[in-house]
Amino acid sequence: MYNKIIVSRSLEHGTGNRAIKSTRALVADGGEILAVHVYEIMHSSAGAYVPKEDVARSVKAAEESL
């Protein structure tokens, strides 16, 4: 059994839930599963057209999903 396992997730594609469920069988009692998602910041040229509130809402949704 492992004390800490890192699991990558792709929130845009809805993947990772099955991986986390499988990982639960491998983590020791009191162990920790870390879910990781890479959030890519928009380039400034595209970001000029997206309101900052929308970006903040997207980041918050990703954090809540993890």
Side-chain angles (χ1 to χ4, degrees), residues 6-23:
I6 300 172
V7 178
S8 62
R9 298 205 48 210
S10 175
L11 300 178
E12 290 87 8
H13 302 289
T15 62
N17 289 336
R18 192 172 71 192
I20 289 176
K21 287 178 185 176
S22 300
T23 303

Side-chain angles (χ1 to χ4, degrees), residues 11-62:
L11 300 178
E12 290 87 8
H13 302 289
T15 62
N17 289 336
R18 192 172 71 192
I20 289 176
K21 287 178 185 176
S22 300
T23 303
R24 286 185 181 144
L26 299 173
V27 72
D29 284 338
E32 185 176 17
I33 298 172
L34 301 173
V36 178
H37 169 76
V38 176
Y39 182 82
E40 186 174 354
I41 307 258
M42 280 187 270
H43 294 283
S44 60
S45 58
Y49 299 100
V50 179
K52 292 183 190 273
E53 296 82 17
D54 289 346
V55 173
R57 197 170 19 255
S58 176
V59 170
K60 184 178 179 185

